[in-house]
Amino acid sequence: MLGNRSAVGAIALMAFVAGCGGPKAASDDSLESTPTPAPAAAPTITPSAVLEKPTIPVPSTPPASSIAGLSAATILTKTQAAAKAATSVRMKGAVSDGKERMVLDVRVTKNGGQGSITTSDGGMSVMVIGKTAYLKMSNKFWQSQTKSKAEAAAIVGLIDGRWIRTTMSDKDLGNFALFASKAEFFDTLFEPSGSLKKTASKTVDGVPSVGLGDGDGTLWVDTATARPVRLESGADALSFSEYNKVTTPKAPPANQVIDGKALGM
């Protein structure tokens, strides 16, 4: 689950206040004879005593139950369900695909998403809306894909800073779009590659978490919500945050888009 897989597979492991007046005494000192005790005045009741009600303490809300005490298998089942149920998530970190290392920061929803990907070939911005992908590559990327600086410069001039529109099925560029679509990138969760064991609880990325390890890596899980928090496997690590806070992006204006077919893609 957490080890020998491609970057897409590794990341695919993942897809919460009375008072009252008292009686009042009265007397009469105007008589010269022996004073006769005056009748006691009737108790005075203040309006607050009639209108106000005693405060009833409100019980405090009990803390959310923790999943840390459950078995590793049960936690995994809950984690898979919680991740799949999320409408959106932010994924940030670095993963390896063979010798290639990718640094990611993408926000994905069920219908698309956007973010950045950086590899040894350069960086790019990615946006996905439905089955349409928009890609914007750095100059370094084009230089790594062409045979000469002049050819790279020609491509950069032709694109002129615009987004390249392609589809999720494009064999050359479509795979990059996987990093900005929750349905393609996050819903298929992992199966352990070895015996699954629960680790001691600790705070990960500011979230109280419990770990699930299989010998190849560890998936840290929020003990309150069961959502994935962080995936660690050797030098690779990917954090999950901003659940249900990401909105699907809007397509760039037409004058900022160039069709990939115009570039022979």
Side-chain angles (χ1 to χ4, degrees), residues 99-205:
K99 295 183 179 180
E100 185 62 69
R101 187 162 179 80
M102 290 172 281
V103 178
L104 316 171
D105 187 0
V106 295
R107 291 172 170 83
V108 297
T109 72
K110 289 186 175 181
N111 296 314
Q114 61 184 331
S116 64
I117 304 168
T118 303
T119 69
S120 59
D121 291 335
M124 68 184 69
S125 297
V126 182
M127 184 185 301
V128 173
I129 303 172
K131 295 183 178 181
T132 302
Y134 299 88
L135 309 172
K136 184 181 290 188
M137 284 75 164
S138 66
N139 291 353
K140 181 181 177 180
F141 174 87
W142 291 117
Q143 290 168 0
S144 69
Q145 302 299 309
T146 56
K147 298 180 180 180
S148 68
K149 291 184 178 180
E151 187 177 353
I155 294 175
V156 170
L158 176 61
I159 296 173
D160 193 25
R162 291 175 291 180
W163 292 87
I164 301 172
R165 182 177 59 238
T166 183
T167 65
M168 296 288 285
S169 59
D170 183 279
K171 65 179 181 179
D172 295 319
L173 299 179
N175 285 338
F176 289 115
L178 293 175
F179 295 97
S181 173
K182 182 177 181 296
E184 299 290 337
F185 188 71
F186 193 69
D187 284 355
T188 303
L189 294 183
F190 63 88
E191 292 296 332
S193 61
S195 178
L196 189 65
K197 295 183 179 180
K198 184 173 61 174
T199 72
S201 298
K202 72 174 186 178
T203 299
V204 178
D205 293 342

Side-chain angles (χ1 to χ4, degrees), residues 16 77 127 136 213 226 239:
F16 313 163
T77 298
M127 184 185 301
K136 184 181 290 188
S239 295

